[in-house]
Amino acid sequence: MAGKDNTLNMTEGSALALIVKFSIPMLIGNLFQQFYNLVDSIMVGRLVGSDAFAAVGASSSITFLFFALCNGIGSGGGIITSQFFGGDDTKRVKRCITNTGYIMFVFPLIVGITAFFLSDPLLRLLDTPSEIFKDALIYVRIMCIGIVFVSLYNYISSMLRALGDSKTPLYFLIVSSFINIGLDAFCIVVLKMGVVGAAVATLISQFLAGIGCFIFAIKTNPYFKLSKEDMTFDKDITLKTIKLGIPLSLQFSLIAISCMALQKVVNSFGPVAVAAFTATSRVEQIIHQPYQTISAALSTFCGQNYGAKKGKRVIKGFHQSLIIMALFSLIMLPVMQFGGRTIVSIFVEKEAVIEMGAKALSITSYFYVFLGLIYVARGVLNGLSDAFFALLNGIVEVLGRFIVPVVLTSIAAIGLWGIWWSVGVVWLVSGVTAWMRYRGYTKRKLKPLMESEKN
C-alpha cells in the first residue's frame, strides 16, 4: 500500500532499536497523561484541601474498574490487528479496525450507565469515610458519564499502535494535556467547582484527544481509509477480538477489584492514611509508565513477529526488554528511598500525610523489579494472544490484595504499614507467576515457529 509513513514494520531490523523507537513516543504520551493527572491531584490537594484530595483517591479504584472493562476490548483488538499487520493481511487489518470499533461504541455505553448506578453502593462497600463520601460519589459519577469519551481515545490509540504508529496518539495527548491544565485552572480556581471541575476538565480533554486522533487517522493513515466492504461485520474477527479482549478486560477488572479491596483496608485507617495512599499511588502511576510502555511495545512487537512467524525475534525482544526494565528499577530505588518526602510534599502540605507517604514509598520501591517483570512478561504473552494469562494474572492480584493486606495490617508490629508491604508482596507473587507462565507458554507456542526457522 502507498503512504505507509505512519506505520512501523517491526519484523525486520534490530529488536532493541525498534522497541525503543516505538516506546519513546508512547512513554512521553503516558507521562503527559500522568502529568495532567498530577495537575488534577495537586490543584485539588492544595487548592481544595486534603479531604477533597482523598475523595479523588478513594474513588480511583472504582473508576479504574469501569474503564478497565472497556479498555480490555480495545487492547484485544489492537493485538489481533498487529498480528494481521505482521502477516501483511491488509484486508483483515481494516476489518479488525472497524469491527473493534463497533464493539467499542456499544460496550462503553452499557458499562457507563451501569457504573453510574453502582457507584454509590460500591463506595459504601469500600467503607469510604463520611467526610469524603459526597465528593467521591460526585467524582465517580461524572467519570462514569464520560467513559465513552475516554474509550474513544484508547481505542484509536490501540489501533494505531498495532500498526506501529506510536507518534500520532502522542501528539494529540500532548495537546489535550495542555487543554486539561487550562480547564483545571478555570474550573477549580475561577469557577470554584472543586472535584467536579477536575473531573469535567479531564473528560473534555480526553474527548478532544479521541476525536482529533480519529479524524487525523482517517485523513493520513491508509489503513483507516475504509471502503464499504471493509466496514462489513466480520463474525470471525469479532469473535477473535472478544475472545482475547474479554480475558484482558477481566484481568484489568480483577486488578481493579483487588485495588478496591486494598482501598477498603486503607479507608479503615482514616483520612490521613487515605491521603497518603492517594499520594503514593499517584507517584507509582508514574513509575508504572516505563514498564507499561515497554509492555505495550512488546505486545505490538511480538504480535507482528508472531504474525510473520518469527519466533526467535519474540524471545530476543523479551530478553532485551528485561534488561531495560531491570536498569530502570535499580535507578528508581535510591530516588524513592531518599527523595520520598520531597515527592509526597508536592501533593499535600499536611505533615502527617507527608511523613506517612515518604515511608510508604521507601517500602514499595524494594519491589519495583517484580513490578517490571509482570509488565515485560505480560507484553509478550498478550502479543501471542495468551488469553489465559490475562485471567490468571487478575486472579493472583485479587487473591493477594484480598488476603495479604488484611493479614499484614493485623500484625501489631506492622500495623498500617502492611498496606504498602502488601503492595510489594503482591507484585512479587504476580511477577514470579508471570515469569513461570512466560516460560511454559512461549516454549509451547513458539517451538514450531523456531524449528521452521532452523530449516
Side-chain angles (χ1 to χ4, degrees):
M1 293 178 65
K4 292 187 180 179
D5 296 343
N6 289 337
T7 63
L8 177 64
N9 188 329
M10 302 176 80
T11 62
E12 300 290 344
S14 166
L16 180 61
L18 286 166
I19 290 170
V20 171
K21 179 180 179 180
F22 187 78
S23 295
I24 289 174
M26 267 200 306
L27 177 58
I28 295 171
N30 287 344
L31 290 176
F32 260 97
Q33 192 166 30
Q34 292 306 313
F35 172 66
Y36 70 65
N37 285 339
L38 288 176
V39 170
D40 281 346
S41 300
I42 292 168
M43 285 191 173
V44 171
R46 289 194 169 264
L47 300 178
V48 186
S50 61
D51 280 355
F53 179 72
V56 173
S59 64
S60 61
S61 59
I62 295 177
T63 55
F64 176 47
L65 168 63
F66 296 122
F67 288 158
L69 284 168
C70 301
N71 294 342
I73 298 293
S75 298
I79 292 165
I80 301 299
T81 300
S82 72
Q83 293 176 356
F84 291 148
F85 180 77
D88 200 25
D89 191 337
T90 300
K91 180 179 178 181
R92 289 204 286 179
V93 167
K94 290 188 171 187
R95 287 280 182 91
C96 197
I97 289 172
T98 55
N99 281 268
T100 303
Y102 297 149
I103 301 170
M104 289 298 291
F105 176 73
V106 175
F107 196 58
L109 289 175
I110 297 171
V111 171
I113 293 169
T114 305
F116 184 89
F117 292 104
L118 288 179
S119 54
D120 186 302
L122 284 174
L123 283 169
R124 295 186 188 282
L125 181 65
L126 295 181
D127 294 332
T128 304
S130 58
E131 303 96 315
I132 63 176
F133 185 90
K134 183 179 178 181
D135 279 346
L137 179 60
I138 292 172
Y139 189 85
V140 172
R141 284 187 164 169
I142 293 174
M143 297 304 286
C144 289
I145 293 170
I147 283 178
V148 67
F149 302 146
V150 178
S151 296
L152 172 63
Y153 174 76
N154 289 332
Y155 155 65
I156 298 298
S157 298
S158 293
M159 294 298 108
L160 290 173
R161 288 166 181 160
L163 304 175
D165 180 9
S166 57
K167 293 180 180 179
T168 298
L170 165 64
Y171 301 147
F172 286 93
L173 195 56
I174 290 174
V175 173
S176 74
S177 296
F178 287 109
I179 292 173
N180 190 87
I181 293 169
L183 288 172
D184 266 332
F186 181 70
C187 294
I188 295 175
V189 179
V190 179
L191 299 182
K192 308 293 183 184
M193 294 173 66
V195 296
V196 173
V200 169
T202 298
L203 292 183
I204 291 175
S205 61
Q206 283 279 317
F207 172 71
L208 293 175
I211 288 293
C213 200
F214 183 55
I215 293 172
F216 187 81
I218 291 174
K219 290 183 175 295
T220 62
N221 193 301
Y223 290 97
F224 278 80
K225 297 184 184 300
L226 306 170
S227 66
K228 187 175 181 180
E229 182 185 357
D230 295 326
M231 299 179 73
T232 304
F233 175 75
D234 189 308
K235 181 181 177 181
D236 290 339
I237 289 177
T238 299
L239 288 176
K240 275 189 175 183
T241 300
I242 292 174
K243 184 178 178 181
L244 180 58
I246 286 181
L248 285 173
S249 292
L250 289 174
Q251 175 195 34
F252 298 150
S253 300
L254 286 170
I255 291 173
I257 290 170
S258 73
C259 291
M260 290 168 64
L262 181 57
Q263 186 71 54
K264 183 179 175 70
V265 175
V266 174
N267 291 346
S268 69
F269 285 94
V272 171
V274 174
F277 184 73
T278 300
T280 58
S281 296
R282 292 293 184 268
V283 174
E284 284 169 358
Q285 281 173 4
I286 297 175
I287 298 298
H288 278 251
Q289 298 315 306
Y291 301 134
Q292 200 171 63
T293 301
I294 290 293
S295 181
L298 266 177
S299 290
T300 299
F301 177 86
C302 295
Q304 287 191 14
N305 281 282
Y306 180 68
K309 303 187 185 306
K310 295 185 176 183
K312 290 180 181 178
R313 281 179 64 81
V314 172
I315 302 297
K316 188 174 183 180
F318 171 78
H319 288 155
Q320 294 182 340
S321 298
L322 208 59
I323 294 171
I324 297 172
M325 175 276 294
L327 288 173
F328 176 74
S329 301
L330 290 174
I331 291 170
M332 285 297 102
L333 180 60
V335 172
M336 295 302 163
Q337 291 294 318
F338 302 108
R341 180 182 173 81
T342 302
I343 294 169
V344 176
S345 65
I346 295 172
F347 298 93
V348 290
E349 296 178 328
K350 198 169 185 177
E351 185 63 27
V353 176
I354 294 172
E355 287 291 336
M356 188 180 295
K359 184 172 179 180
L361 288 175
S362 71
I363 293 171
T364 56
S365 60
Y366 290 121
F367 298 89
Y368 284 166
V369 68
F370 297 104
L371 175 64
L373 181 59
I374 296 168
Y375 275 110
V376 174
R378 181 188 296 169
V380 176
L381 293 168
N382 285 348
L384 299 179
S385 302
D386 181 10
F388 176 74
F389 169 72
L391 187 59
L392 173 66
N393 184 234
I395 291 171
V396 170
E397 292 252 3
V398 167
L399 291 176
R401 285 188 172 145
F402 265 95
I403 298 171
V404 178
V406 174
V407 172
L408 292 183
T409 55
S410 66
I411 299 173
I414 300 176
L416 70 81
W417 303 113
I419 294 167
W420 290 280
W421 279 110
S422 71
V423 170
V425 170
V426 171
W427 287 347
L428 188 155
V429 175
S430 296
V432 172
T433 303
W435 169 258
M436 292 172 63
R437 179 62 179 175
Y438 163 82
R439 296 280 294 178
Y441 187 80
T442 53
K443 183 177 181 180
R444 183 173 71 254
K445 188 88 170 180
L446 298 179
K447 186 177 180 180
L449 297 184
M450 295 174 71
E451 287 178 348
S452 66
E453 287 179 87
K454 292 178 183 179
N455 300 328

